[in-house]
Amino acid sequence: MAFKIATWNINSVRLRMPLVLRYLQSHGPDVLCLQETKCRDGEFPSGDLRAAGYEHLAINGQKGYHGVAIASRHPLTRIDKREFCAKGDARHIAATVSVGGRDVAIHNFYVPAGGDIADPELNPKFAHKLSFLDEMTALISDEKWAETPSVLVGDLNIAPLETDVWNHKALLKVVSHTPVEVERLRRVFEAGPWVDALRTQVPPEQNLYTWWSYRSPNWETANKGRRLDHVWLSADLKSSLTDLDILKEARGWERPSDHVPVMISLTP
DNA sequence: ATGGTTGCTTGGCAA
Protein backbone atom coordinates (compact mmCIF):
# COMPACT_ATOMS: atom_id res chain seq x y z
CA MET A 1 0.00 0.00 0.00
CA ALA A 2 1.53 3.26 -1.13
CA PHE A 3 1.95 6.23 1.18
CA LYS A 4 1.14 9.43 -0.68
CA ILE A 5 2.57 12.85 0.15
CA ALA A 6 1.29 15.92 -1.68
CA THR A 7 2.41 19.56 -1.77
CA TRP A 8 0.34 22.49 -3.02
CA ASN A 9 0.76 26.24 -2.91
CA ILE A 10 -2.90 27.03 -2.35
CA ASN A 11 -2.76 30.86 -2.42
CA SER A 12 -5.31 31.38 0.37
CA VAL A 13 -6.52 28.18 1.99
CA ARG A 14 -9.80 29.73 3.16
CA LEU A 15 -10.75 30.91 -0.31
CA ARG A 16 -9.84 27.59 -1.89
CA MET A 17 -11.07 25.12 0.70
CA PRO A 18 -13.58 23.64 -1.80
CA LEU A 19 -10.68 22.85 -4.13
CA VAL A 20 -8.65 21.35 -1.30
CA LEU A 21 -11.53 19.06 -0.34
CA ARG A 22 -12.07 18.11 -3.97
CA TYR A 23 -8.41 17.16 -4.27
CA LEU A 24 -8.38 15.20 -1.02
CA GLN A 25 -11.47 13.27 -2.10
CA SER A 26 -10.25 12.50 -5.60
CA HIS A 27 -6.59 11.80 -4.85
CA GLY A 28 -6.51 10.83 -1.19
CA PRO A 29 -3.00 11.80 -0.16
CA ASP A 30 -1.99 10.54 3.28
CA VAL A 31 -0.32 13.87 3.93
CA LEU A 32 -0.98 17.25 2.30
CA CYS A 33 1.52 20.08 2.68
CA LEU A 34 0.18 23.55 1.93
CA GLN A 35 1.90 26.87 1.31
CA GLU A 36 0.56 30.42 1.16
CA THR A 37 -2.31 29.62 3.48
CA LYS A 38 -2.56 33.37 4.18
CA CYS A 39 -4.32 33.16 7.53
CA ARG A 40 -3.64 33.07 11.23
CA ASP A 41 -3.68 29.66 12.94
CA GLY A 42 -7.05 30.41 14.52
CA GLU A 43 -8.54 31.18 11.11
CA PHE A 44 -7.24 27.97 9.51
CA PRO A 45 -10.06 25.66 8.32
CA SER A 46 -9.11 22.90 10.75
CA GLY A 47 -12.67 21.68 11.21
CA ASP A 48 -13.20 21.08 7.49
CA LEU A 49 -9.97 19.14 7.22
CA ARG A 50 -10.71 17.03 10.28
CA ALA A 51 -14.16 16.25 8.91
CA ALA A 52 -12.51 15.12 5.68
CA GLY A 53 -10.39 12.62 7.60
CA TYR A 54 -7.28 14.75 8.02
CA GLU A 55 -7.37 14.87 11.78
CA HIS A 56 -3.73 15.61 12.39
CA LEU A 57 -2.69 19.17 11.67
CA ALA A 58 0.49 21.16 12.00
CA ILE A 59 -0.07 24.83 11.26
CA ASN A 60 2.27 27.81 11.01
CA GLY A 61 0.33 30.81 9.81
CA GLN A 62 0.29 34.58 9.92
CA LYS A 63 -2.15 37.29 8.92
CA GLY A 64 -2.51 37.86 5.20
CA TYR A 65 0.80 36.53 3.89
CA HIS A 66 2.79 33.31 3.59
CA GLY A 67 1.78 30.52 5.97
CA VAL A 68 2.38 26.77 5.75
CA ALA A 69 0.56 23.73 7.09
CA ILE A 70 0.61 19.95 7.11
CA ALA A 71 -2.65 17.96 7.15
CA SER A 72 -2.42 14.23 7.72
CA ARG A 73 -4.62 11.15 8.04
CA HIS A 74 -1.97 9.73 10.41
CA PRO A 75 -0.50 11.05 13.65
CA LEU A 76 2.10 13.78 13.37
CA THR A 77 4.89 13.92 15.90
CA ARG A 78 7.85 16.22 16.51
CA ILE A 79 6.07 19.23 15.05
CA ASP A 80 8.63 21.98 14.56
CA LYS A 81 8.52 25.49 13.09
CA ARG A 82 11.68 27.28 12.14
CA GLU A 83 12.16 30.98 11.68
CA PHE A 84 14.42 32.15 8.88
CA CYS A 85 16.19 35.47 8.43
CA ALA A 86 14.77 36.70 11.78
CA LYS A 87 11.77 38.15 10.01
CA GLY A 88 8.99 36.36 11.82
CA ASP A 89 7.65 34.96 8.53
CA ALA A 90 5.70 31.69 8.57
CA ARG A 91 7.61 29.83 5.89
CA HIS A 92 8.48 26.46 7.42
CA ILE A 93 6.87 23.67 9.34
CA ALA A 94 8.05 20.12 9.93
CA ALA A 95 6.49 17.00 11.36
CA THR A 96 7.27 13.32 11.55
CA VAL A 97 4.92 10.62 10.30
CA SER A 98 5.17 6.85 10.32
CA VAL A 99 5.48 5.38 6.84
CA GLY A 100 5.25 1.59 6.88
CA GLY A 101 6.54 1.54 10.44
CA ARG A 102 9.44 3.87 9.69
CA ASP A 103 9.56 7.45 10.97
CA VAL A 104 9.89 9.97 8.13
CA ALA A 105 10.46 13.69 8.76
CA ILE A 106 8.55 16.00 6.45
CA HIS A 107 9.79 19.56 5.98
CA ASN A 108 7.40 21.96 4.29
CA PHE A 109 8.88 25.21 2.91
CA TYR A 110 7.70 28.41 1.30
CA VAL A 111 10.82 30.13 -0.01
CA PRO A 112 10.53 33.92 -0.59
CA ALA A 113 9.63 34.77 -4.18
CA GLY A 114 12.33 37.43 -4.33
CA GLY A 115 10.67 40.39 -6.01
CA ASP A 116 11.27 41.54 -9.58
CA ILE A 117 14.91 42.65 -9.76
CA ALA A 118 17.52 39.90 -9.67
CA ASP A 119 20.11 41.94 -7.80
CA PRO A 120 20.55 41.65 -4.02
CA GLU A 121 22.16 45.12 -3.89
CA LEU A 122 19.14 46.80 -5.45
CA ASN A 123 16.38 44.53 -4.25
CA PRO A 124 16.07 43.56 -0.56
CA LYS A 125 13.53 40.89 -1.46
CA PHE A 126 16.04 39.12 -3.66
CA ALA A 127 18.67 39.44 -0.93
CA HIS A 128 16.17 37.89 1.47
CA LYS A 129 15.59 34.99 -0.91
CA LEU A 130 19.32 34.27 -1.12
CA SER A 131 19.77 34.55 2.64
CA PHE A 132 16.84 32.23 3.20
CA LEU A 133 18.42 29.63 0.94
CA ASP A 134 21.75 29.99 2.75
CA GLU A 135 20.03 29.44 6.09
CA MET A 136 18.41 26.31 4.69
CA THR A 137 21.82 25.06 3.63
CA ALA A 138 23.29 25.75 7.07
CA LEU A 139 20.42 24.05 8.88
CA ILE A 140 20.45 20.95 6.71
CA SER A 141 24.22 20.69 7.11
CA ASP A 142 24.35 21.37 10.84
CA GLU A 143 21.46 19.18 11.82
CA LYS A 144 22.10 16.45 9.26
CA TRP A 145 18.42 16.20 8.43
CA ALA A 146 18.96 13.72 5.66
CA GLU A 147 20.66 11.26 8.01
CA THR A 148 17.15 10.28 9.02
CA PRO A 149 14.56 9.47 6.35
CA SER A 150 13.37 12.90 5.23
CA VAL A 151 11.15 14.52 2.67
CA LEU A 152 11.58 18.20 1.82
CA VAL A 153 8.66 19.68 -0.07
CA GLY A 154 7.27 23.03 -0.96
CA ASP A 155 7.19 26.08 -3.14
CA LEU A 156 10.90 26.80 -3.46
CA ASN A 157 10.19 29.56 -5.99
CA ILE A 158 13.10 28.46 -8.18
CA ALA A 159 13.02 26.51 -11.44
CA PRO A 160 16.53 25.03 -11.60
CA LEU A 161 16.71 23.20 -14.93
CA GLU A 162 16.44 24.59 -18.44
CA THR A 163 13.43 22.35 -18.94
CA ASP A 164 11.82 23.66 -15.75
CA VAL A 165 10.78 26.82 -17.61
CA TRP A 166 8.97 27.42 -20.88
CA ASN A 167 11.89 29.41 -22.33
CA HIS A 168 15.30 29.09 -20.70
CA LYS A 169 16.98 32.00 -22.48
CA ALA A 170 14.07 34.36 -21.99
CA LEU A 171 14.00 33.62 -18.26
CA LEU A 172 17.71 33.81 -17.42
CA LYS A 173 17.17 37.32 -16.04
CA VAL A 174 13.79 36.62 -14.53
CA VAL A 175 13.70 35.96 -10.80
CA SER A 176 13.01 32.23 -10.28
CA HIS A 177 15.45 31.08 -12.98
CA THR A 178 18.54 33.31 -12.63
CA PRO A 179 21.90 31.53 -12.35
CA VAL A 180 22.66 33.04 -8.92
CA GLU A 181 19.56 31.64 -7.24
CA VAL A 182 19.80 28.32 -9.09
CA GLU A 183 23.34 28.02 -7.73
CA ARG A 184 22.12 28.83 -4.19
CA LEU A 185 19.43 26.19 -4.49
CA ARG A 186 22.02 23.69 -5.69
CA ARG A 187 23.94 24.30 -2.45
CA VAL A 188 20.81 23.54 -0.43
CA PHE A 189 20.35 20.35 -2.41
CA GLU A 190 23.95 19.28 -1.92
CA ALA A 191 23.83 19.92 1.83
CA GLY A 192 22.09 16.57 2.14
CA PRO A 193 22.01 13.41 0.08
CA TRP A 194 18.81 14.58 -1.59
CA VAL A 195 17.13 13.08 -4.58
CA ASP A 196 14.96 15.30 -6.81
CA ALA A 197 11.89 13.08 -6.80
CA LEU A 198 10.14 14.76 -9.72
CA ARG A 199 13.18 14.42 -11.95
CA THR A 200 13.66 10.75 -11.16
CA GLN A 201 10.17 10.22 -12.56
CA VAL A 202 10.34 12.67 -15.47
CA PRO A 203 13.60 12.84 -17.44
CA PRO A 204 15.40 16.20 -17.39
CA GLU A 205 15.09 16.48 -21.16
CA GLN A 206 11.34 16.83 -20.76
CA ASN A 207 9.64 20.09 -19.84
CA LEU A 208 7.92 19.96 -16.48
CA TYR A 209 5.89 22.70 -14.78
CA THR A 210 3.90 23.11 -11.58
CA TRP A 211 2.95 26.80 -11.88
CA TRP A 212 1.34 28.97 -14.51
CA SER A 213 1.05 32.73 -13.92
CA TYR A 214 -2.34 34.34 -13.48
CA ARG A 215 -1.08 37.08 -15.78
CA SER A 216 -0.82 34.83 -18.79
CA PRO A 217 -4.20 34.50 -20.47
CA ASN A 218 -4.84 31.14 -22.09
CA TRP A 219 -2.45 29.55 -19.62
CA GLU A 220 -3.01 26.13 -21.12
CA THR A 221 -2.37 26.90 -24.78
CA ALA A 222 0.40 29.42 -24.04
CA ASN A 223 1.86 26.95 -21.50
CA LYS A 224 4.36 29.43 -20.11
CA GLY A 225 4.91 27.39 -16.99
CA ARG A 226 7.68 26.94 -14.46
CA ARG A 227 8.60 24.11 -12.05
CA LEU A 228 8.62 26.01 -8.76
CA ASP A 229 7.30 23.25 -6.51
CA HIS A 230 9.59 20.46 -5.44
CA VAL A 231 9.81 17.18 -3.58
CA TRP A 232 13.22 16.08 -2.40
CA LEU A 233 13.78 12.71 -0.77
CA SER A 234 16.69 11.62 1.35
CA ALA A 235 18.54 8.97 -0.60
CA ASP A 236 17.39 6.18 1.71
CA LEU A 237 13.83 6.76 0.45
CA LYS A 238 14.69 6.75 -3.23
CA SER A 239 13.99 3.06 -3.74
CA SER A 240 10.54 3.53 -2.14
CA LEU A 241 9.45 6.14 -4.69
CA THR A 242 6.92 4.47 -6.97
CA ASP A 243 4.81 7.22 -8.48
CA LEU A 244 4.41 10.93 -9.22
CA ASP A 245 1.21 12.81 -9.99
CA ILE A 246 1.28 16.48 -11.02
CA LEU A 247 -2.35 17.47 -11.32
CA LYS A 248 -2.12 19.98 -14.14
CA GLU A 249 -5.87 20.02 -14.60
CA ALA A 250 -6.25 21.73 -11.21
CA ARG A 251 -4.93 24.91 -12.85
CA GLY A 252 -8.16 24.90 -14.86
CA TRP A 253 -10.50 24.49 -11.89
CA GLU A 254 -12.81 27.34 -10.94
CA ARG A 255 -10.91 30.13 -9.17
CA PRO A 256 -7.70 28.11 -9.15
CA SER A 257 -4.40 28.57 -7.40
CA ASP A 258 -1.63 29.45 -9.82
CA HIS A 259 0.19 26.32 -8.55
CA VAL A 260 -1.03 22.74 -8.98
CA PRO A 261 -0.80 19.84 -6.52
CA VAL A 262 2.26 17.61 -6.73
CA MET A 263 2.04 14.14 -5.15
CA ILE A 264 4.54 11.33 -4.73
CA SER A 265 3.88 7.74 -3.71
CA LEU A 266 6.20 5.83 -1.41
CA THR A 267 5.83 2.07 -1.28
CA PRO A 268 7.75 0.93 1.78
C1' DA B 1 10.24 47.75 -22.22
C1' DT B 2 5.92 46.88 -20.34
C1' DG B 3 1.83 44.76 -18.86
C1' DG B 4 -0.69 41.21 -17.77
C1' DT B 5 -4.03 38.75 -12.81
C1' DT B 6 -5.10 37.57 -8.17
C1' DG B 7 -5.58 37.92 -2.92
C1' DC B 8 -5.75 40.44 1.25
C1' DT B 9 -7.92 44.36 2.08
C1' DT B 10 -10.10 49.24 0.70
C1' DG B 11 -4.97 51.53 -1.08
C1' DG B 12 -1.31 49.37 -2.27
C1' DC B 13 1.59 45.73 -1.73
C1' DA B 14 3.13 40.91 -2.74
C1' DA B 15 3.29 37.31 -5.83
Side-chain angles (χ1 to χ4, degrees), chain A residues 4 19 32 36-37 40 43-44 64 66 95 99 112 120 125-126 134 140 154 174 176 189 220 228 267:
Chain A
K4 297 182 283 189
L19 303 189
L32 174 64
E36 282 207 270
T37 52
R40 300 179 185 96
E43 299 162 336
F44 190 83
H66 323 315
V99 178
K125 288 187 224 165
F126 194 69
D134 289 346
I140 291 168
V174 175
S176 73
F189 188 81
E220 194 165 18
L228 302 180
T267 306

Side-chain angles (χ1 to χ4, degrees), chain A residues 17-252:
Chain A
M17 206 49 208
L19 303 189
V20 172
L21 293 173
R22 175 177 175 180
Y23 179 68
L24 294 175
Q25 279 207 333
S26 59
H27 287 72
D30 291 279
V31 174
L32 174 64
C33 297
L34 296 168
Q35 303 88 36
E36 282 207 270
T37 52
K38 292 188 172 179
C39 62
R40 300 179 185 96
D41 293 358
E43 299 162 336
F44 190 83
S46 304
D48 291 339
L49 284 163
R50 290 200 181 99
Y54 294 78
E55 297 175 24
H56 307 278
L57 303 173
I59 309 164
N60 183 16
Q62 67 183 84
K63 177 184 164 74
Y65 299 99
H66 323 315
V68 289
I70 303 173
S72 172
R73 294 183 184 276
H74 315 283
L76 297 173
T77 56
R78 294 159 68 184
I79 293 168
D80 182 30
K81 312 164 189 183
R82 296 304 178 97
E83 185 180 357
F84 289 79
C85 306
K87 289 179 77 81
D89 287 352
R91 295 181 177 275
H92 167 266
I93 191 158
T96 295
V97 67
S98 178
V99 178
R102 183 155 69 147
D103 274 356
V104 173
I106 298 174
H107 289 273
N108 178 13
F109 278 96
Y110 177 51
V111 171
D116 289 330
I117 302 163
D119 183 341
E121 305 284 324
L122 299 176
N123 175 12
K125 288 187 224 165
F126 194 69
H128 176 213
K129 184 178 199 174
L130 299 180
S131 299
F132 191 100
L133 293 164
D134 289 346
E135 285 195 22
M136 286 177 70
T137 299
L139 206 54
I140 291 168
S141 308
D142 293 350
E143 301 185 356
K144 300 181 169 56
W145 285 0
E147 281 188 1
T148 60
S150 303
V151 182
L152 187 158
V153 308
D155 177 5
L156 305 186
N157 264 315
I158 296 172
L161 305 185
E162 294 189 13
T163 49
D164 290 337
V165 295
W166 64 279
N167 185 328
H168 167 62
K169 282 193 175 173
L171 285 164
L172 275 172
K173 292 182 176 174
V174 175
V175 170
S176 73
H177 192 61
T178 65
V180 62
E181 62 196 298
V182 168
E183 161 61 16
R184 291 302 234 286
L185 185 68
R186 189 187 61 77
R187 286 187 216 166
V188 182
F189 188 81
E190 291 184 353
W194 298 114
V195 173
D196 179 346
L198 277 60
R199 282 306 186 183
T200 69
Q201 299 298 106
V202 179
E205 297 76 27
Q206 194 174 321
N207 288 320
L208 187 63
Y209 313 137
T210 64
W211 172 90
W212 291 262
S213 173
Y214 288 126
R215 298 178 195 178
S216 174
N218 315 311
W219 70 273
E220 194 165 18
T221 46
N223 198 27
K224 295 182 174 181
R226 302 178 203 170
R227 183 171 72 111
L228 302 180
D229 302 278
H230 296 267
V231 178
W232 294 354
L233 304 175
S234 58
D236 48 2
L237 291 174
K238 183 180 180 182
S239 62
S240 303
L241 177 64
T242 50
D243 200 13
L244 167 68
D245 180 29
I246 298 175
L247 191 64
K248 184 176 178 181
E249 73 168 58
R251 184 60 178 80

